[in-house]
Amino acid sequence: MFHTIGRRLAILNALVVIAVIAAVGLASYLYLARKIETQADAELRSRSSSAVQLWTDTFLTANDPGVVTFPADASSSEDSDDDDSDREEHDSDEDEHDDSHSDEAREIVRSGDTIAFAMNLQGSIVATLRPVDIEGLPKSDSVDRAIQGSIVQETITLDGERVRLRTEPVLADGDIVGAIQVGMGLGPNEQVLDFVRMSTIGGLVLGVLMAVPSGWLLAGRSMRPIREAFARQRSFVADASHELRTPLTLIRAEAEYLQQSPDLSDEERAEGEAAIVREVDSMASLVSSLLQLARIDENVPLASREHIEFSDLVEATVSRLEPLAAEKGLTLRQDDRLAGGTVGDRAALQQVLTILIDNAITYTPPGGSITVRSDRKSGMDVIAVMDTGIGISQEDQQHIFDRFYRADPARTRAGGGAGLGLSIANELMKAHGGRIEVESTLHTGSTFTMVFPSS
Ligand code: ADP
């Protein structure tokens, strides 16, 4: 289950990284492309107006009936010697130098130089800025639209290179006398675009290569506490089921025995029934401990908060448990001087103290003694329960606050504990902002101390 979640998180992480890189790359690409076109348009506008000025006379003569001037630009004079030849003648001249011309044309487009054509009202070229023919130029449909009065701005592709074109009408005394088309290869500027495109693709590849393993690693790390909590919960359920099954098995065995033995004496039958009641009681107490832990796990706040004098708390608890201690041949006493106090839930703190004294009674052999004292030292309030019992090894001291942990399962089962007392007591103390400390020496005795936060 955690594997699948980890994989999904890793994929999600990669998708987010890819989406971010792609979005940033695309936005930069579109922004730059737009900027390049805007700059090219501004450049073309100024080139166009200077070309119009340069060629104004040409337009006027070109539109006189029967006169075709071709080409008129100084730079294009070397293009053709015969000024009187028509367009077709010019084209056939070009065929002979086709290869060198098309190379030159490609170079002009690629270098980002400006190209310009002037057309008369019939759409025939009357002047060019460059001495070469560039296939596809001038773009005749745009020229037609310019002669109709429109300004056309567009980007076309020539020989794999993008070229920005501006075609506009030329006016003389308010009348359209021709059209001018200026173009500029976007190649040099587009190197930046290529760079953005390549770095976006590179970023995407790198993003995938890095985001998947790093996502996997992060998912694994962030899920560790969840995995541990899940494992704890699972073993808690398993332990609880096991603890409940034991008394249930005993109850069933006892009940079956009573059922199948009609000849039992009244005394024997009463003994069997008492055993069943004992097991039911132990189950009931286990179930209420489990419910209490479940409530603690939900972080239910303390039921009440009142000022509690430790002397009251200790006296009440000790006097309630004294008969139990006496029954086991133990001396349970409280210190003469009980000091200290806290603000908290009286019932909860009474339960903690009861658990500690109850354990001391359980784990102290007959003849031993248990002393309860309370104190306030250097601003710290404590209640300590000291016994002369069996003690707890260093190793076990690390685990006694774990749920269902028993230092000696065989013996403690007989004593009736399910290993939940200290964990409940510890949680209740944590809810008060305090803790339980333990000091113990095997075969000598133990001291459990309830430590409250300084008041
Ligand atoms: P239990 O219900 O078994 O008493 P606890 O959580 O109260 O469970 O205690 C956990 C374990 O800690 C006990 O099983 C016991 O082994 C050990 N323990 C607790 N208190 C004492 C004590 N006063 N002296 C010796 N061992 C103790």
Side-chain angles (χ1 to χ4, degrees), residues 55-363:
W55 289 331
T56 308
D57 294 342
T58 312
F59 283 109
L60 296 174
T61 358
N63 285 308
D64 281 349
V67 180
V68 178
T69 312
F70 174 81
D73 182 47
S75 63
S76 63
S77 58
E78 59 205 73
D79 187 32
S80 171
D81 292 330
D82 51 347
D83 281 7
D84 293 327
S85 61
D86 62 10
R87 178 79 188 141
E88 269 74 45
E89 281 170 2
H90 175 76
D91 276 349
S92 62
D93 271 359
E94 282 280 311
D95 286 344
E96 291 162 25
H97 319 288
D98 202 26
D99 272 359
S100 63
H101 272 194
S102 66
D103 279 355
E104 217 177 326
R106 207 170 294 137
E107 190 45 43
I108 290 170
V109 169
R110 201 166 289 160
S111 65
D113 275 354
T114 317
I115 36 188
F117 301 92
M119 272 71 56
N120 62 15
L121 284 175
Q122 288 72 45
S124 306
I125 299 176
V126 291
T128 64
L129 184 64
R130 300 280 167 192
V132 285
D133 263 2
I134 296 174
E135 208 181 324
L137 289 183
K139 198 164 169 278
S140 52
D141 56 334
S142 308
V143 171
D144 291 345
R145 283 170 64 197
I147 289 170
Q148 304 297 315
S150 315
I151 297 176
V152 186
Q153 294 195 126
E154 61 203 317
T155 304
I156 59 165
T157 307
L158 285 182
D159 209 9
E161 295 286 334
R162 276 162 36 92
V163 176
R164 189 73 179 160
L165 277 188
R166 178 186 171 91
T167 317
E168 63 178 290
V170 177
L171 302 173
D173 297 330
D175 293 330
I176 298 175
V177 292
I180 193 142
Q181 188 168 79
V182 263
M184 198 170 114
L186 295 174
N189 291 327
E190 287 194 331
Q191 280 171 2
V192 185
L193 272 189
D194 284 344
F195 176 74
V196 171
R197 194 171 37 224
M198 290 320 288
S199 23
T200 305
I201 294 171
L204 284 175
V205 173
L206 214 71
V208 173
L209 288 180
M210 286 176 67
V212 172
S214 69
W216 181 261
L217 208 79
L218 283 177
R221 253 194 215 172
S222 54
M223 274 194 315
R224 195 177 301 154
I226 305 172
R227 205 169 21 222
E228 283 167 4
F230 192 74
R232 266 201 310 275
Q233 196 62 27
R234 202 153 43 186
S235 85
F236 178 71
V237 171
D239 288 340
S241 316
H242 179 75
E243 288 298 331
L244 285 169
R245 210 173 45 191
T246 313
L248 271 178
T249 313
L250 292 173
I251 291 168
R252 189 189 165 86
E254 198 68 47
E256 265 176 1
Y257 173 69
L258 293 179
Q259 218 175 24
Q260 289 160 12
S261 317
D263 303 333
L264 285 178
S265 68
D266 285 352
E267 206 175 310
E268 285 168 326
R269 193 164 291 280
E271 238 174 66
E273 285 163 359
I276 290 177
V277 171
R278 251 197 328 275
E279 290 303 329
V280 169
D281 283 348
S282 113
M283 270 182 82
S285 110
L286 177 61
V287 167
S288 71
S289 294
L290 291 174
L291 283 174
Q292 189 169 12
L293 278 171
R295 264 202 306 276
I296 287 170
D297 287 344
E298 277 177 29
N299 287 324
V300 178
L302 293 172
S304 70
R305 280 193 169 271
E306 56 182 298
H307 182 77
I308 301 161
E309 284 297 328
F310 288 163
S311 52
D312 293 346
L313 194 73
V314 173
E315 276 161 16
T317 318
V318 165
S319 62
R320 201 162 40 80
L321 292 174
E322 239 166 2
L324 190 67
E327 202 179 294
K328 242 197 104 179
L330 298 168
T331 320
L332 171 61
R333 54 187 159 79
Q334 64 202 40
D335 206 16
D336 294 339
R337 206 186 61 83
L338 293 169
T342 193
V343 173
D345 181 339
R346 186 180 294 272
L349 293 181
Q350 192 136 20
Q351 188 183 358
V352 176
L353 190 55
T354 305
I355 289 170
L356 297 184
I357 299 177
D358 199 45
N359 276 350
I361 294 173
T362 308
Y363 302 109

Side-chain angles (χ1 to χ4, degrees), residues 359 363 387 391-392 400 405-407 412 417-422 446 448:
N359 276 350
Y363 302 109
D387 66 51
I392 308 162
I400 50 174
Y405 188 85
R406 299 179 187 118
T412 48
L420 292 177
L422 282 181
S446 314
F448 282 85

